[in-house]
Amino acid sequence: MTDSHQDRAPFHRAVLNALEDGLLVIGDDRKVRWYNPPALARTLGIRQTNAIGMEFGSLLDTYFLPIIEDEDSVQLLHRVLENGADLPPLLCRTRTHDGTRRWISISSKQAFAATGQRLIKIRDATADLNAHHFRAALEGSPPVVVFVQDEELRYIWSYNQQLGGSTDASIIGMREEDAFPEDAEHLTALKRRVLETGKTVRAAVTFTIAGKRRVRDLTLKPFRDADGTIVGVTGTAFDVTEQNRVEEALREKTHELKKRMDELRCLYTIAHLVETPGMTLEKLLQAVADTLPHGMAIPGQYRGGADHRRRPGLLSGGRSGGFPLETEEPDRRPRRTGR
């Protein structure tokens, strides 16, 4: 069986039409000789019947230049068209008639020197630019993990898993029992719940990574296809191990500070009690017992015994700190003196 250009033409045409990039071949007369309709129909809304034989400058004036928002890009494209120079990929910010904003890349180079034909490539670079910005934002943020899993909970995309010796590429195709064997049961249960209910799940989960236990704040959401059908799980996770340690240390310090403040308040109150005129020993011990912070005690029945109770008027009375109001007033009645 002979292999001719005619035999291969349908195959070549199918391959070119499947490309995401829009391609145009421009002749030495600056007219469109060929292009792949599907890609340019998606990018600029060009139909084949309108393009073949059309002057390239008119094509740009009709379909591309009117939607470019940056006037500098428009002027640059005009100059390139006039002098026929090569154009490296130029990103143009565009806005279509329906208000959609996109980034379109256009480039030009001589393809066939003998014939003077040029190859023009036009592509929608919005997704690439969004992905670049997404990665740049992640790289400048605290450690964050992003991933996608299919319905069988196999990892199909992963970023920044921080798996020690493993990489984001090596986790692709794995399930939880492969990637996180010690925590697989709990992780699988959380993700199955998302698949079954379609609801977001958030939980603090402990992972074993490179032999160390790490805590991640995990958020799981359903991954849906274009029809809205749940086809997997997407997730983000922040490593909060150090944050938890700092918060725990702060709680301990706060607790210790409160204990010291209670002890100082107790000492201040006792000093006031001692200086109160007419204070009896029994009342002093009872007031001290009532003032001591929890955990401190004095011997005898003054703390926890049958006589341990707050007597009316012994504490407070409009002043903070537990100061006593009931005191022994000195007897100021005239005394009879002997003759």
Side-chain angles (χ1 to χ4, degrees):
M1 178 178 180
T2 60
D3 182 16
S4 66
H5 174 73
Q6 287 75 17
D7 294 332
R8 297 193 306 270
F11 172 76
H12 292 165
R13 190 160 45 248
V15 171
L16 291 171
N17 287 340
L19 293 177
E20 290 294 326
D21 296 347
L23 301 176
L24 299 101
V25 175
I26 310 300
D28 56 359
D29 56 358
R30 295 193 175 187
K31 292 185 178 181
V32 178
R33 298 291 182 85
W34 175 90
Y35 85 110
N36 54 339
L40 284 174
R42 290 192 300 269
T43 307
L44 299 179
I46 301 175
R47 296 182 180 179
Q48 188 172 14
T49 55
N50 297 336
I52 299 299
M54 189 175 186
E55 202 273 328
F56 181 59
S58 298
L59 183 143
L60 289 184
D61 285 335
T62 303
Y63 293 101
F64 189 39
L65 297 184
I67 65 174
I68 297 178
E69 294 188 315
D70 185 1
E71 183 61 28
D72 290 340
S73 298
V74 174
Q75 296 300 326
L76 177 59
L77 285 173
H78 273 303
R79 289 196 297 270
V80 169
L81 288 174
E82 290 173 1
N83 59 33
D86 287 352
L87 176 68
L90 173 68
L91 270 178
C92 302
R93 187 177 66 244
T94 67
R95 183 168 185 170
T96 57
H97 300 298
D98 62 0
T100 303
R101 278 192 165 89
R102 293 184 296 172
W103 288 92
I104 304 296
S105 170
I106 181 171
S107 62
S108 169
K109 67 177 182 179
Q110 192 174 51
F112 309 102
T115 62
Q117 292 180 337
R118 304 191 67 80
L119 179 66
I120 309 295
K121 182 165 73 171
I122 299 176
R123 65 188 304 264
D124 188 339
T126 308
D128 294 340
L129 201 60
N130 288 343
H132 170 73
H133 290 160
F134 174 71
R135 289 182 177 273
L138 289 180
E139 289 170 0
S141 304
V144 58
V145 178
V146 187
F147 60 87
V148 181
Q149 293 170 271
D150 62 15
E151 287 183 283
E152 300 300 322
L153 296 182
R154 286 185 293 260
Y155 285 90
I156 58 176
W157 184 80
S158 173
Y159 176 79
N160 200 28
Q161 279 284 349
Q162 307 166 54
L163 298 174
S166 302
T167 65
D168 287 302
S170 66
I171 200 176
I172 302 303
M174 290 185 179
R175 293 186 175 91
E176 305 302 343
E177 54 268 27
D178 305 314
F180 306 102
E182 296 184 28
D183 315 293
E185 184 176 353
H186 182 45
L187 289 171
T188 300
L190 291 174
K191 294 171 183 180
R192 285 293 176 198
R193 190 194 311 171
V194 175
L195 291 174
E196 293 168 3
T197 66
K199 296 181 178 179
T200 299
V201 171
R202 183 175 181 182
V205 180
T206 302
F207 292 79
T208 301
I209 300 175
K212 297 181 180 180
R213 300 296 279 173
R214 309 290 297 181
V215 181
R216 288 180 176 178
D217 182 358
L218 182 64
T219 301
L220 303 170
K221 295 183 178 182
F223 180 48
R224 302 178 185 272
D225 61 14
D227 297 326
T229 304
I230 297 176
V231 294
V233 175
T234 66
T236 58
F238 294 88
D239 192 313
V240 294
T241 308
E242 295 304 321
Q243 177 183 330
N244 287 356
R245 288 174 182 168
V246 170
E247 291 177 353
E248 180 60 28
L250 181 60
R251 282 193 291 269
E252 292 177 358
K253 294 295 183 183
T254 302
H255 179 68
E256 288 298 319
L257 179 60
K258 183 179 182 302
K259 287 174 60 178
R260 300 291 86 80
M261 292 295 294
D262 289 342
E263 291 168 0
L264 287 173
R265 189 179 298 111
C266 175
L267 291 174
Y268 180 75
T269 303
I270 292 173
H272 179 83
L273 291 171
V274 170
E275 295 175 358
T276 302
M279 174 62 68
T280 64
L281 178 60
E282 180 181 1
K283 289 182 178 179
L284 175 62
L285 292 176
Q286 180 62 59
V288 170
D290 291 341
T291 307
L292 287 176
H294 179 71
M296 297 179 64
I298 61 174
Q301 74 272 22
Y302 298 104
R303 188 104 178 143
D307 192 44
H308 174 56
R309 61 184 181 276
R310 293 184 180 271
R311 298 180 180 179
L314 185 62
L315 300 177
S316 190
R319 290 183 292 177
S320 63
F323 302 147
L325 294 181
E326 181 182 318
T327 60
E328 192 79 24
E329 291 292 334
D331 188 356
R332 295 188 174 86
R333 291 177 296 178
R335 295 180 182 274
R336 182 178 299 178
T337 59
R339 294 184 180 268

